[in-house]
Short mmCIF file of all heavy atoms in Angstrom, two decimals:
data_model
loop_
_atom_site.label_atom_id
_atom_site.label_comp_id
_atom_site.label_asym_id
_atom_site.label_seq_id
_atom_site.Cartn_x
_atom_site.Cartn_y
_atom_site.Cartn_z
N LEU A 60 -16.17 2.25 -0.57
CA LEU A 60 -15.56 3.47 -1.33
C LEU A 60 -16.65 4.05 -2.22
O LEU A 60 -16.94 5.19 -2.29
CB LEU A 60 -14.21 2.99 -2.04
CG LEU A 60 -13.46 4.25 -2.56
CD1 LEU A 60 -13.10 5.22 -1.53
CD2 LEU A 60 -12.07 3.63 -3.25
N ASN A 61 -17.15 3.12 -3.13
CA ASN A 61 -18.13 3.62 -4.19
C ASN A 61 -19.43 4.19 -3.34
O ASN A 61 -19.99 5.16 -3.84
CB ASN A 61 -18.48 2.47 -5.08
CG ASN A 61 -17.58 2.36 -6.20
OD1 ASN A 61 -16.76 3.29 -6.40
ND2 ASN A 61 -17.47 1.32 -6.78
N ALA A 62 -19.93 3.49 -2.40
CA ALA A 62 -20.99 3.99 -1.68
C ALA A 62 -20.77 5.28 -1.05
O ALA A 62 -21.68 6.23 -1.06
CB ALA A 62 -21.46 2.83 -0.63
N TRP A 63 -19.54 5.53 -0.53
CA TRP A 63 -19.15 6.68 0.13
C TRP A 63 -19.27 7.81 -0.99
O TRP A 63 -19.78 8.93 -0.62
CB TRP A 63 -17.80 6.65 0.73
CG TRP A 63 -17.32 7.99 1.24
CD1 TRP A 63 -16.56 8.80 0.73
CD2 TRP A 63 -17.57 8.37 2.74
NE1 TRP A 63 -16.26 9.90 1.61
CE2 TRP A 63 -16.94 9.71 2.74
CE3 TRP A 63 -18.38 7.91 3.73
CZ2 TRP A 63 -16.88 10.33 4.02
CZ3 TRP A 63 -18.36 8.59 4.92
CH2 TRP A 63 -17.58 10.05 4.98
N ARG A 64 -18.67 7.56 -2.09
CA ARG A 64 -18.69 8.54 -3.08
C ARG A 64 -20.11 8.94 -3.58
O ARG A 64 -20.47 9.98 -3.91
CB ARG A 64 -17.81 8.08 -4.26
CG ARG A 64 -16.34 8.09 -4.15
CD ARG A 64 -15.55 7.41 -5.11
NE ARG A 64 -14.23 7.69 -4.99
CZ ARG A 64 -13.25 6.88 -5.52
NH1 ARG A 64 -13.58 5.92 -6.34
NH2 ARG A 64 -11.93 7.16 -5.37
N MET A 65 -20.99 7.89 -3.63
CA MET A 65 -22.41 8.11 -3.98
C MET A 65 -23.13 8.93 -3.00
O MET A 65 -23.79 9.88 -3.26
CB MET A 65 -23.10 6.71 -4.18
CG MET A 65 -24.39 6.90 -4.95
SD MET A 65 -25.07 5.29 -5.24
CE MET A 65 -23.85 4.45 -6.36
N GLU A 66 -22.73 8.71 -1.66
CA GLU A 66 -23.34 9.52 -0.59
C GLU A 66 -22.95 11.02 -0.83
O GLU A 66 -23.84 11.87 -0.73
CB GLU A 66 -22.80 9.06 0.67
CG GLU A 66 -23.35 7.83 1.31
CD GLU A 66 -22.71 7.43 2.52
OE1 GLU A 66 -22.28 8.24 3.32
OE2 GLU A 66 -22.75 6.24 2.78
N MET A 67 -21.71 11.29 -1.11
CA MET A 67 -21.28 12.58 -1.29
C MET A 67 -21.90 13.30 -2.61
O MET A 67 -22.33 14.49 -2.43
CB MET A 67 -19.66 12.69 -1.49
CG MET A 67 -18.99 12.21 -0.36
SD MET A 67 -19.36 13.13 1.29
CE MET A 67 -20.13 11.92 2.31
N LEU A 68 -22.11 12.39 -3.55
CA LEU A 68 -22.74 12.97 -4.61
C LEU A 68 -24.18 13.41 -4.45
O LEU A 68 -24.65 14.40 -4.90
CB LEU A 68 -22.72 11.95 -5.95
CG LEU A 68 -23.07 12.59 -7.36
CD1 LEU A 68 -22.29 13.65 -7.79
CD2 LEU A 68 -23.25 11.32 -8.31
N LEU A 69 -24.92 12.44 -3.76
CA LEU A 69 -26.31 12.73 -3.35
C LEU A 69 -26.42 13.97 -2.47
O LEU A 69 -27.34 14.73 -2.56
CB LEU A 69 -26.84 11.45 -2.78
CG LEU A 69 -27.02 10.42 -3.85
CD1 LEU A 69 -27.50 9.06 -3.09
CD2 LEU A 69 -28.25 10.63 -4.84
N LEU A 70 -25.41 14.18 -1.50
CA LEU A 70 -25.43 15.31 -0.72
C LEU A 70 -25.12 16.50 -1.52
O LEU A 70 -25.89 17.55 -1.25
CB LEU A 70 -24.29 15.10 0.36
CG LEU A 70 -24.43 15.95 1.60
CD1 LEU A 70 -25.73 15.66 2.34
CD2 LEU A 70 -23.18 15.84 2.51
N THR A 71 -24.43 16.46 -2.48
CA THR A 71 -24.04 17.59 -3.36
C THR A 71 -25.36 17.99 -4.22
O THR A 71 -25.78 19.08 -4.23
CB THR A 71 -22.85 17.18 -4.38
OG1 THR A 71 -21.79 16.88 -3.52
CG2 THR A 71 -22.58 18.42 -5.28
N ALA A 72 -25.95 16.89 -4.68
CA ALA A 72 -27.11 17.06 -5.50
C ALA A 72 -28.21 17.82 -4.67
O ALA A 72 -28.91 18.66 -5.06
CB ALA A 72 -27.67 15.82 -6.02
N GLY A 73 -28.32 17.25 -3.31
CA GLY A 73 -29.28 17.71 -2.46
C GLY A 73 -29.11 19.28 -2.26
O GLY A 73 -30.01 20.11 -2.19
N ALA A 74 -27.90 19.60 -1.99
CA ALA A 74 -27.54 20.88 -1.68
C ALA A 74 -27.76 21.79 -2.87
O ALA A 74 -28.32 22.97 -2.76
CB ALA A 74 -25.92 21.03 -1.22
N LEU A 75 -27.35 21.35 -4.03
CA LEU A 75 -27.49 22.26 -5.26
C LEU A 75 -29.02 22.40 -5.63
O LEU A 75 -29.40 23.51 -5.99
CB LEU A 75 -26.82 21.52 -6.43
CG LEU A 75 -25.26 21.51 -6.38
CD1 LEU A 75 -24.71 20.69 -7.51
CD2 LEU A 75 -24.75 22.96 -6.44
N LEU A 76 -29.77 21.35 -5.44
CA LEU A 76 -31.26 21.45 -5.64
C LEU A 76 -31.92 22.39 -4.75
O LEU A 76 -32.82 23.28 -4.90
CB LEU A 76 -31.87 20.11 -5.66
CG LEU A 76 -31.58 19.29 -6.89
CD1 LEU A 76 -31.94 17.84 -6.68
CD2 LEU A 76 -32.42 19.84 -8.02
#
Side-chain angles (χ1 to χ4, degrees):
Chain A
L60 194 55
N61 276 344
W63 177 267
R64 287 172 171 162
M65 197 175 290
E66 285 174 26
M67 293 305 111
L68 186 67
L69 290 167
L70 198 61
T71 303
L75 289 175
L76 288 163

